[in-house]
Amino acid sequence: MISEKLVFSRRAVLAAAATLPLLRNARAEQATHRSHGLSSFGDLALPADFKAFPYAQPDAPKGGQLIMEAGGSSWDSLNGFILQGNPAQGLSLVYDTLMAGSLDEDNTLYGLVAEAVEYSDDKKTYRFFLRKQARFHDGSPLTATDVVFSLNVLREKGHPLIRQLLRDLDRVEAEAPDRVLVVLKDGFGRDSILNVAGQPIFSAAYYAKRDFGRAGLEPPLGSSAYKIGAFEQGRYISYERVKDYWGKDLPVNRGQGNFDLIRYDYFGERAVGFEAFKSGQVNLHESFTASEWATGYDFPAMRDGRVKKQEFPDKRSPGFQGFFFNMRRPQFKDPRIREAMGLCLDFEWSNRNLFYGAYTRNVSYFENTEMKAVDPPSPEELAILEPLRDKIPAEVFGMPFMPPVSDGSGQDRALLQRASVLLKEAGCQRKGTQLFLPDGTPLAFEVLEFNNAFDKVVQPMFKNMRLLGIEANLRVVDSAQYKSRIDNYDFDMITDRKMIGGVPGDELLAYFGSVSGKSPGGMNLPGIDNPAVDALVDQALQAKSRAQLIVICRALDRVLRAGRYWIPHWHASSRRVASWDFFGHPNVTPRLDLSYSQLWWWDAEKAAATKARG
């Protein structure tokens, strides 16, 4: 950490003193408001004296262990906030933040390290008042200096996505050990202060002797309910509950962080992880495939009741999942080619033959929300779209684009004929069994994955593509190589799912903004570079009311769907969770996430009975 020495001349001191009355007057003109939380539009569901989140069980017992399968096949870093390395899962468990989110409210934060916040009328200036009892795991106090260091180091060395989230932070200062000043830039986005208040807080003293920008395997110093426990690089990582955690009785924490140990185990394939669950090595498993849920649970522990299956209604927007074209590749430049390839996915056949009828097709980027575009544009949407008319397809002003509905045969001749026409219109030529782009190169591509989970889904689609002369293959690589290739956009097509909150904000910039698509590690995977999309995203970030935001997002949905940037997948209406009968969970399910690692608990009596039956 660099320490700066300030030298004041007599003239400088006098000049500064002369400005004090002006500063006081300017501050007096700008009224301040004090609050126990922050939200996108200023609406907080919980009062300042709330005791716990409504979905938490305040008296949940502590103890036991939760062991889950990690979402990847390996890891090599304990720093999850930089671009370098492939971080272990769960690292956010280690760090506190100024404020913590509610799982029942979109884009809302309540006091954690900061017990209160004051903000100016124009919402450009904020003062966070820190709890004096806040401590790191080594007992050292967590102060304003640590908050300032954390925000500055994330702006300087953090992952590009984090740096983008903090783009509107003008300056941050420690006014006192327990008071942090945050000033936003002119033209700041609606959710900019939420992005600031939700960042992890690191120890400035700890990193005075370490380079934050380097990946490594040294367990970092945190301040939250868990610290890193035993681990083996690439195979597993565990987190131990901090029994004297300074914030355990705060309203935002009560009834949470109940397990003594949380562990993530890594497996090369999900099928191997499922076998580990069936044997008891893993004790909670969420099924992401309908076939596994329908047919995979005929094993002894399930039959004798030691394992339980539960379905929880999924109250979130499903986000958007699909095959994403990398439009940086020449074969995907033309939207007619992309649309033709989308006609090769027979969802109706797949849903009946592979998915046991469990899914509904995605058609929108804002599926199951008020932001989804339906029917022709409303007058309010037209007012937004008209100034962009010369930058968007004419079809945007009609019905929104819908993916095709097939005859369910798996090889719909009418759809394939439509695809063939589109390919010819794009200048592609068939020579024998091979289709060639206008420049004479074969139309061929790979779907990049880190496991074989989608093999049975892509092969029927590949079969239809080959009928058109398109050569398609699945390429499976290890998770480290997969991350590196994704970070550098070194892929043709990938499968991914992106979540959008109930109050869409900065995620729109990350998923669809042109700057994100040109930055290493960005989340604009297709490489969308459309001035109309950028303009609509900017408007969404500046929306002053939910009603205004809904209209903007509907217009954005129309433009995105007209771009043919993806081949839409599907979504389910529930989350499918199986577990060994060791656990209890709240009767109230939060709207935004199950969060079993934080809200569930070890039921000692049930665990003893279950183990006795084994």
Side-chain angles (χ1 to χ4, degrees):
M1 197 170 123
I2 299 175
S3 125
E4 296 181 356
K5 185 176 181 182
L6 302 178
V7 180
F8 294 94
S9 67
R10 182 172 182 273
R11 179 177 298 175
V13 171
L14 291 174
T19 64
L20 288 178
L22 297 176
L23 292 173
R24 290 195 191 99
N25 290 338
R27 193 172 168 190
E29 291 173 5
Q30 184 71 253
T32 58
H33 310 268
R34 190 177 179 92
S35 178
H36 61 293
L38 296 166
S39 72
S40 290
F41 297 119
D43 48 345
L44 298 172
L46 301 177
D49 61 349
F50 80 96
K51 305 302 181 185
F53 286 130
Y55 49 78
Q57 184 80 25
D59 59 351
K62 308 294 184 184
Q65 58 184 6
L66 175 66
I67 307 173
M68 297 176 288
E69 178 186 355
S73 60
S74 186
W75 64 274
D76 59 17
S77 174
L78 293 177
N79 186 344
F81 307 98
I82 59 174
L83 182 60
Q84 185 185 68
N86 188 18
Q89 190 163 331
L91 290 170
S92 60
L93 292 168
V94 174
Y95 301 99
D96 277 325
T97 55
L98 285 170
M99 294 187 146
S102 164
L103 295 179
D104 269 345
E105 300 174 68
D106 294 295
N107 295 40
T108 298
L109 299 175
Y110 292 94
L112 201 173
V113 170
E115 61 182 343
V117 59
E118 286 184 354
Y119 55 91
S120 59
D121 270 340
D122 61 6
K123 296 186 177 179
K124 182 179 178 182
T125 303
Y126 296 81
R127 282 179 173 82
F128 292 91
F129 297 87
L130 311 189
R131 301 181 196 271
K132 292 182 173 60
Q133 68 267 36
R135 293 287 185 275
F136 289 102
H137 293 151
D138 64 355
S140 61
L142 189 162
T143 70
T145 299
D146 301 299
V147 177
V148 172
F149 164 78
S150 301
L151 291 170
N152 283 332
V153 79
L154 286 170
R155 285 201 293 176
E156 178 188 353
K157 298 182 177 181
H159 192 284
L161 291 173
I162 298 176
R163 297 204 303 268
Q164 186 177 51
L165 289 175
L166 297 176
R167 69 194 179 280
D168 290 336
L169 176 58
D170 184 22
R171 69 181 193 274
V172 55
E173 300 173 5
E175 294 186 323
D178 63 345
R179 191 168 71 246
V180 177
L181 171 70
V182 170
V183 180
L184 302 179
K185 297 176 182 177
D186 292 337
F188 59 88
R190 181 188 65 246
D191 296 332
S192 296
I193 192 60
L194 301 181
N195 297 331
V196 170
Q199 294 303 322
I201 301 173
F202 310 110
S203 166
Y206 176 85
Y207 281 105
K209 301 177 181 178
R210 297 166 177 86
D211 182 1
F212 180 84
R214 292 179 61 85
L217 295 176
E218 179 184 359
L221 177 62
S223 62
S224 193
Y226 287 90
K227 62 182 179 180
I228 294 176
F231 64 85
E232 184 175 338
Q233 179 186 341
R235 295 191 61 187
Y236 75 91
I237 184 167
S238 63
Y239 299 89
E240 299 174 354
R241 185 168 65 87
V242 178
K243 296 183 180 179
D244 61 348
Y245 168 44
W246 72 269
K248 64 180 183 299
D249 295 321
L250 296 179
V252 294
N253 288 329
R254 195 167 289 130
Q256 301 182 64
N258 302 315
F259 293 105
D260 279 349
L261 183 122
I262 298 172
R263 195 178 81 201
Y264 295 95
D265 286 359
Y266 285 75
F267 304 94
E269 295 288 342
R270 284 197 61 81
V272 179
F274 187 46
E275 291 301 316
F277 168 73
K278 291 195 290 186
S279 70
Q281 177 184 336
V282 170
N283 57 27
L284 185 144
H285 176 82
E286 184 167 358
S287 280
F288 295 108
T289 62
S291 59
E292 179 187 273
W293 190 250
T295 65
Y297 285 85
D298 185 16
F299 55 92
M302 184 74 203
R303 290 193 293 268
D304 64 24
R306 287 176 292 157
V307 167
K308 302 289 186 183
K309 292 172 67 178
Q310 300 178 80
E311 290 196 50
F312 297 89
D314 196 345
K315 304 173 186 178
R316 307 167 297 173
S317 161
F320 54 100
Q321 176 179 303
F323 296 115
F324 290 87
F325 299 102
N326 184 357
M327 295 185 298
R328 304 168 189 85
R329 296 288 207 246
Q331 63 265 47
F332 298 137
K333 292 290 187 184
D334 194 311
R336 292 168 294 188
I337 293 177
R338 301 196 296 268
E339 181 177 350
M341 295 176 72
L343 293 168
C344 296
L345 174 62
D346 191 330
F347 167 73
E348 285 67 32
W349 181 89
S350 296
N351 198 34
R352 186 179 70 248
N353 291 280
L354 302 178
F355 307 148
Y356 296 83
Y359 295 119
T360 301
R361 184 80 189 265
N362 293 337
V363 301
S364 166
Y365 288 84
F366 300 92
E367 200 65 60
N368 289 351
T369 75
E370 296 174 292
M371 282 76 175
K372 177 180 177 179
V374 294
D375 302 322
S378 67
E380 294 80 8
E381 290 174 72
L382 287 173
I384 295 171
L385 292 169
E386 280 294 349
L388 304 171
R389 184 178 281 272
D390 63 337
K391 300 180 177 67
I392 54 182
E395 70 174 274
V396 169
F397 295 89
M399 293 293 291
F401 175 76
M402 298 286 290
V405 176
S406 78
D407 61 10
S409 66
Q411 188 177 313
D412 188 315
R413 292 181 180 274
L415 294 183
L416 293 178
Q417 179 60 34
R418 276 176 55 192
S420 181
V421 170
L422 285 166
L423 292 167
K424 288 179 181 177
E425 290 176 354
C428 297
Q429 293 187 348
R430 182 80 174 256
K431 296 178 182 178
T433 60
Q434 180 72 60
L435 190 69
F436 292 85
L437 293 165
D439 65 0
T441 59
L443 179 45
F445 74 98
E446 291 180 343
V447 175
L448 184 69
E449 290 285 357
F450 59 85
N451 61 42
N452 285 305
F454 269 88
D455 184 64
K456 66 179 181 180
V457 177
V458 298
Q459 292 304 333
M461 182 177 71
F462 289 170
K463 177 176 176 289
N464 283 334
M465 289 179 175
R466 291 184 184 113
L467 291 174
L468 297 171
I470 301 170
E471 184 60 33
N473 292 286
L474 178 67
R475 171 63 63 88
V476 178
V477 297
D478 63 60
S479 60
Q481 185 179 353
Y482 181 83
K483 180 181 183 297
S484 176
R485 291 184 63 172
I486 296 299
D487 284 345
N488 293 287
Y489 308 115
D490 181 19
F491 62 89
D492 297 333
M493 180 186 285
I494 62 163
T495 303
D496 201 10
R497 181 188 184 190
K498 300 297 186 188
M499 302 301 293
I500 294 181
V503 183
D506 280 289
E507 68 267 37
L508 302 179
L509 193 67
Y511 298 158
F512 311 126
S514 58
V515 173
S516 173
K518 298 170 185 175
S519 305
M523 299 179 76
N524 179 353
L525 299 175
I528 299 170
D529 188 2
N530 185 323
V533 171
D534 284 340
L536 291 168
V537 168
D538 287 343
Q539 290 183 48
L541 298 183
Q542 298 295 330
K544 303 303 181 186
S545 68
R546 181 173 178 83
Q548 184 184 20
L549 180 63
I550 289 171
V551 173
I552 297 168
C553 286
R554 286 176 180 171
L556 175 62
D557 191 32
R558 294 178 189 279
V559 175
L560 291 171
R561 288 159 68 176
R564 316 294 200 270
Y565 302 131
W566 65 327
I567 302 176
H569 277 186
W570 41 82
H571 65 274
S573 60
S574 63
R575 294 179 67 176
R576 302 167 294 224
V577 180
S579 64
W580 286 74
D581 196 17
F582 300 154
F583 307 113
H585 58 77
N587 295 324
V588 178
T589 302
R591 184 170 62 87
L592 300 178
D593 195 9
L594 294 179
S595 193
Y596 18 75
S597 64
Q598 288 299 291
L599 296 176
W600 289 30
W601 61 85
W602 183 265
D603 187 316
E605 291 185 8
K606 288 170 65 174
T610 298
K611 291 178 179 179
R613 290 200 302 271

